[in-house]
Amino acid sequence: MTATVTATVTAPPPDSDETAPPHTGDRVISSRISHDWGWPGPGAAFRITHQYKVPIAQPPEPPLPYLRTIGVGRHPSDSPPYDQISFRFKGAFPSYDVEYVPQLISDGSGLPVPMPGAGSILRIVFHNAQAHTLDGKSSTIVSAPPQAVGFKGITRYAPAGDFEGVVTYGVGVGRPVSKLPHTPVRIYEVEKIEQGQHLYVVAVQVDTTAWR
């Protein structure tokens, strides 16, 4: 399944997963649903593509969109209710695929990445992106919650790769992928100024109606 990103601006989703209290000047520049509620089952990945010129910045900045922070939050009062994990990039929106997979495999070793407590696993693969500094010695991530999230919809998350422009994460979902009705997923994109940083946020939302 392929989604086309449109320029339609909608009301931004609640931002309960910001990584720090708001600063004066924080604001949403634009917000859009890049893929509405659906089920990215095995073999039916959501695929979102963005175009931009590389390098997007000159040294010492990385040449690709780079991951700066990760946030998680619960939205129990929305309709439908959902849990959310947000990946905040600098530079631009990366392209990405989102799909339920039988297990999370490390891009480097080819070995399974443990995801205890997850009924199913949602794999998110960011393309033309990175999570390391230009010299390859450090992570660009300055803030992230504990990997054991502990929500009912999103139980945990784990990194599974950062190599040659591909950044991979797994998100544990509380219900098995085979359980009916399937657990839907939605993706929001928000361009914003947060904590004085110009960020491009990919928010992956997991419907928690089944846990009401």
Side-chain angles (χ1 to χ4, degrees), residues 158-203:
D162 174 20
F163 182 65
E164 293 189 344
V166 177
V167 175
T168 303
Y169 274 84
V171 176
V173 176
R175 298 175 78 237
V177 72
S178 59
K179 193 172 178 98
L180 296 176
H182 294 315
T183 303
V185 175
R186 179 173 67 178
I187 307 172
Y188 243 104
E189 292 181 347
V190 182
E191 182 180 356
K192 66 187 304 187
I193 304 298
E194 181 181 306
Q195 305 293 311
Q197 301 291 323
H198 192 158
L199 301 178
Y200 298 81
V201 185
V202 178

Side-chain angles (χ1 to χ4, degrees), residues 54-63 134:
V54 177
I56 60 171
Q58 297 302 314
E61 288 287 289
L134 188 59

